[in-house]
Amino acid sequence: MKSHSGKVASDICKRFPKSPYIGTYYGTEPALLIQDPDLIKHVLTTDFYHFNSREIAKYTTKEVTTMNMFFTYGERWKLVRQNTTSLFTLGKTKNMYPLIAESANVFEKLLDRETKVSKVLEVREIGARYTIDVIISCIFGVNADTMSGCKADTEKNPFRVLGDMLFAVSPIRGMKNIARSIWPAIFYGLGQKMFSEDIEISFRDILENVFKERQYKPSTRNDFADLILTLMNEKYIVADSLKKLEREAGEKIRMERDNDLLIAQCSTFFAAGFETSATTFSMTLFELAKNKEAQEKAITEVDEYLRRHNNKLDYELVNELLYLDACISETLRLYPILPLITREVVEDCVLPTGLQLNSGMRVHLPIYHIHRDPKHFSDPEEFRPERFCSETKEDIAPYTYLPFGAGPRICMGIRIAKMQILTGLVTLLKKYRISLAEGMATSIEIEPKILVFQPVGGIRLKFEPREGWEERMF
Ligand code: HEM
C-alpha cells in the first residue's frame, strides 16, 4: 500500500519499454500488463467479447453494490448498459443543462461565503459539494442541498455520507480493497463485504421518496428515476446478447426484472458521476494555479464567453470554451481517474501476437504510464493544454489517450462530466484568480489505498477576487 497500482505498473513498464506486454503478478495472482496501443485497442474494442469483464467476474454478485454496471460483466452488464444508454443521448444531456446552471448559481454563493471566511480553500471538498448537487439533481431530480451550509453541516448531509461510504480512505478500507481484488474467494468466504449495505438501503429510500412524489408514474423529466420506475413495471428486461458480437446476429437476452439489480445502478451513476468530476475539477484548478499563463488564457476565454452570452450560462459553453476544455483534457492526461484500467478474460482466446490467454486471466492497461510515456507525449510531465487544441489534437495516436476508457465499456457520462466541470470552472474563474496556498506542494502524491485517482491531503488554493467581477454576475 505504499504506491498506487497505476504508479507500480508504470515502474514495471519503464523497465521493459520495448515489450508490447509484460507478465506480472498482482499480489500472488498472474496478470498481463499490456502497453502496446494496438493490443490495447484489441482488448478494449476489437475483441471486446473475450474481455468484457473488469475483474473477479464470478464474485460481482456477492454484494448488491458490485452488481452495478461498473463492476458487473457479461449479459447482466449488457442488459443494464443497453437499457440505460438512452439517458445519455445528446438531447437528454442538453436538457439537463438548466439544472447544472442552477447548481452553478448556488456554487457561486458558496464561493462568496467561504472566501469571506478564508482566502484559502480546499477545492476538492468544495468541488465534491458542487458535483454531488449536480449529479443528484440531473439523475434523481432531487435537491441534494450540499452547498447551503458550512463544511460541518454538509458532513451530515445524506448524500455526502453516501459519498464517503463509497470513497472514504482508511487503512482498513485499503486492506479490504486489496484483499477483495487479489483473493476474492477468501475475502467473501470470510463473510467480508467491500461496501456497506447501507448504501443500497439509502438509495432505495431516496428512490422510494422520488417515486412517491411522482405518484409511481414516470414524469416528464425522463431522468434516471423515471427510467427505473418504468423498468420496475416490466416483467422482463430485454437487450441484444453480447454473443451477437461473436456469433449469430439478432440474438436477444431476457432477464426477469430484478429490483435489487435496478437499485444497484443508483450507486453507479452517483459514484461514477460525482467523485470523478470533483477530482478532475480540483486537479485542473491545481494546474491552472501553477501555470499562470494558462490561467490567464482561460480567464480571457471565460470573460469573452460571458460577454457574448450576457452572463448567462448555457449549453453552448461546451462548444465555445475550447481552451478550457483543453485544460481539462491535459489534466486528465496527467491525472487519469482510473490510472490502471482492468479487464478479465471471460473465455479462452488468443492475442494477435499468438499469445494464448485462459479464462480468468487478469489484463491490466497502464493508462497513467501511457499518458506519461515520452513515446506518445513529448515533455510528458509538463502541463501543456495546447496538445489538445484543434490543430494538434490529431497528432495524438489512437489508444494512447484513454481518460474515459474506450470500446463498449467506455465511460457513459463524458458529456455530463464536461458540462459540469466546465460550468464549475467558469463560475470560479470569472471572479477569482487562484494560486497555490502557502505550504501546498507543487506535485501531487496519489493515494495508494483506493483504486481511483485521489490526491493525498487535498488541494489548497488561495483565492484573490478579480477586478471587475461585479460585471460578470450570473
Ligand atoms: C471527469 C469525469 C469522469 C472520468 C474521468 C470518467 C472515467 C471513466 C472511466 C475511465 C471508466 C472506465 C472505462 C473503461 O473501462 O473502458 C468509466 C466508466 C463509467 N463512467 Fe465515467 N468518468 C467520468 C464521469 C462520469 C459521469 C459524470 C458519469 C455519469 C453520470 C459516468 C458514468 C460512468 C459509467 C456508468 C461507467 C461504467 C461503464 C461500463 O462499465 O459500461 N462517468 N468512467
Side-chain angles (χ1 to χ4, degrees):
M1 283 206 294
K2 281 201 184 122
S3 239
H4 192 276
S5 52
K7 177 79 176 54
V8 176
S10 177
D11 292 342
I12 298 172
C13 291
K14 280 182 190 156
R15 287 170 56 201
F16 304 96
K18 297 217 167 96
S19 305
Y21 41 68
I22 306 151
T24 58
Y25 277 92
Y26 182 58
T28 51
E29 300 305 296
L32 187 71
L33 191 55
I34 300 186
Q35 59 173 334
D36 174 73
D38 290 335
L39 289 178
I40 292 178
K41 177 177 177 194
H42 181 82
V43 168
L44 292 179
T45 307
T46 324
D47 192 16
F48 174 73
Y49 176 75
H50 286 102
F51 300 91
N52 71 65
S53 164
R54 286 195 190 281
E55 228 172 0
I56 58 165
K58 275 197 317 217
Y59 297 90
T60 51
T61 49
K62 296 279 181 195
E63 302 185 44
V64 180
T65 301
T66 55
M67 289 200 316
N68 80 24
M69 191 196 322
F70 186 84
F71 289 101
T72 196
Y73 78 110
E75 303 294 22
R76 186 186 282 271
W77 165 79
K78 187 66 174 43
L79 275 162
V80 182
R81 173 108 191 186
Q82 192 169 326
N83 279 285
T84 47
T85 297
S86 63
L87 287 173
F88 297 92
T89 60
L90 177 62
K92 283 269 172 69
T93 38
K94 255 184 167 175
N95 283 343
M96 287 175 192
Y97 196 77
L99 299 173
I100 298 184
E102 235 172 76
S103 295
N105 275 308
V106 187
F107 184 47
E108 182 173 23
K109 295 190 184 86
L110 165 76
L111 291 174
D112 287 347
R113 260 195 340 269
E114 300 270 326
T115 48
K116 272 194 193 117
V117 179
S118 167
K119 279 193 169 171
V120 173
L121 301 184
E122 203 283 275
V123 287
R124 239 189 123 258
E125 163 66 25
I126 53 167
R129 289 170 73 181
Y130 161 68
T131 55
I132 290 179
D133 199 81
V134 170
I135 290 299
I136 293 297
S137 116
C138 290
I139 305 280
F140 299 102
V142 172
N143 176 7
D145 193 24
T146 45
M147 293 192 282
S148 60
C150 60
K151 185 175 173 240
D153 297 331
T154 24
E155 273 158 14
K156 291 180 228 115
N157 178 290
F159 296 100
R160 198 75 185 92
V161 173
L162 269 171
D164 284 344
M165 280 194 233
L166 285 158
F167 290 106
V169 175
S170 73
I172 294 185
R173 199 87 199 279
M175 292 298 286
K176 277 186 154 192
N177 236 332
I178 290 173
R180 175 187 176 271
S181 56
I182 302 178
W183 306 289
I186 301 174
F187 181 81
Y188 286 114
L190 292 171
Q192 293 294 317
K193 292 256 155 76
M194 190 60 228
F195 298 101
S196 157
E197 279 172 12
D198 292 346
I199 295 175
E200 304 311 328
I201 295 171
S202 304
F203 276 122
R204 204 180 286 271
D205 287 350
I206 295 165
L207 275 184
E208 187 55 37
N209 283 334
V210 176
F211 292 166
K212 233 187 245 163
E213 233 167 68
R214 297 183 188 181
Q215 296 170 340
Y216 295 90
K217 285 194 206 103
S219 70
T220 47
R221 293 179 74 111
N222 286 323
D223 58 9
F224 176 78
D226 276 345
L227 182 74
I228 297 293
L229 197 52
T230 310
L231 292 174
M232 278 180 165
N233 288 323
E234 306 284 331
K235 191 157 189 304
Y236 295 102
I237 310 178
V238 183
D240 298 318
S241 169
L242 257 183
K243 292 203 182 85
K244 187 174 157 187
L245 296 174
E246 195 50 8
R247 295 187 270 274
E248 312 95 286
E251 203 175 310
K252 292 268 181 204
I253 36 165
R254 198 167 80 137
M255 190 175 90
E256 210 161 317
R257 187 231 327 126
D258 170 349
N259 284 359
D260 274 352
L261 177 72
L262 293 175
I263 301 279
Q265 305 320 314
C266 296
S267 56
T268 321
F269 294 116
F270 175 65
F274 96 86
E275 167 76 15
T276 50
S277 301
T279 303
T280 308
F281 170 76
S282 55
M283 294 312 297
T284 308
L285 288 172
F286 172 71
E287 284 300 330
L288 290 177
K290 288 196 304 178
N291 296 280
K292 295 289 174 218
E293 206 180 303
Q295 187 179 154
E296 287 314 311
K297 272 192 185 175
I299 280 176
T300 307
E301 190 182 60
V302 166
D303 289 359
E304 281 169 4
Y305 168 84
L306 289 173
R307 245 193 315 277
R308 279 197 306 278
H309 292 263
N310 297 323
N311 294 340
K312 289 268 176 310
L313 287 170
D314 66 34
Y315 178 80
E316 277 317 303
L317 97 180
V318 172
N319 301 322
E320 293 184 25
L321 295 174
L322 298 180
Y323 186 75
L324 206 51
D325 186 61
C327 292
I328 298 171
S329 300
E330 177 67 341
T331 301
L332 282 168
R333 182 185 68 78
L334 286 168
Y335 313 106
I337 298 295
L338 282 188
L340 192 73
I341 289 185
T342 58
R343 291 289 189 264
E344 183 179 64
V345 178
V346 294
E347 250 180 60
D348 296 355
C349 63
V350 182
L351 282 184
T353 57
L355 185 74
Q356 167 80 38
L357 298 178
N358 295 337
S359 166
M361 178 78 194
R362 291 158 192 263
V363 174
H364 289 177
L365 309 176
I367 307 304
Y368 176 86
H369 173 72
I370 292 164
H371 284 188
R372 287 174 184 242
D373 186 340
K375 272 205 298 285
H376 308 310
F377 296 95
S378 56
D379 303 318
E381 304 298 322
E382 270 180 33
F383 178 77
R384 225 189 266 160
E386 287 68 20
R387 299 179 210 269
F388 292 91
C389 290
S390 42
E391 314 82 57
T392 43
K393 216 157 64 182
E394 266 136 46
D395 299 341
I396 299 173
Y399 289 82
T400 60
Y401 179 67
L402 297 164
F404 295 102
R409 285 200 89 146
I410 192 170
C411 173
M412 287 181 95
I414 301 175
R415 275 198 212 101
I416 299 182
K418 286 285 176 80
M419 282 189 324
Q420 67 175 337
I421 299 168
L422 280 169
T423 305
L425 291 172
V426 169
T427 308
L428 193 149
L429 292 173
K430 79 187 174 91
K431 183 150 180 193
Y432 304 96
R433 273 199 176 76
I434 43 170
S435 55
L436 297 188
E438 221 180 286
M440 179 70 208
T442 50
S443 66
I444 289 292
E445 213 184 305
I446 314 181
E447 174 57 63
K449 296 191 266 320
I450 187 157
L451 297 174
V452 293
F453 174 92
Q454 257 190 28
V456 174
I459 310 284
R460 284 179 311 105
L461 301 183
K462 188 169 170 199
F463 283 57
E464 294 287 354
R466 287 180 47 213
E467 62 295 342
W469 60 264
E470 297 86 349
E471 290 153 29
R472 295 185 290 272
M473 301 284 279
F474 290 150

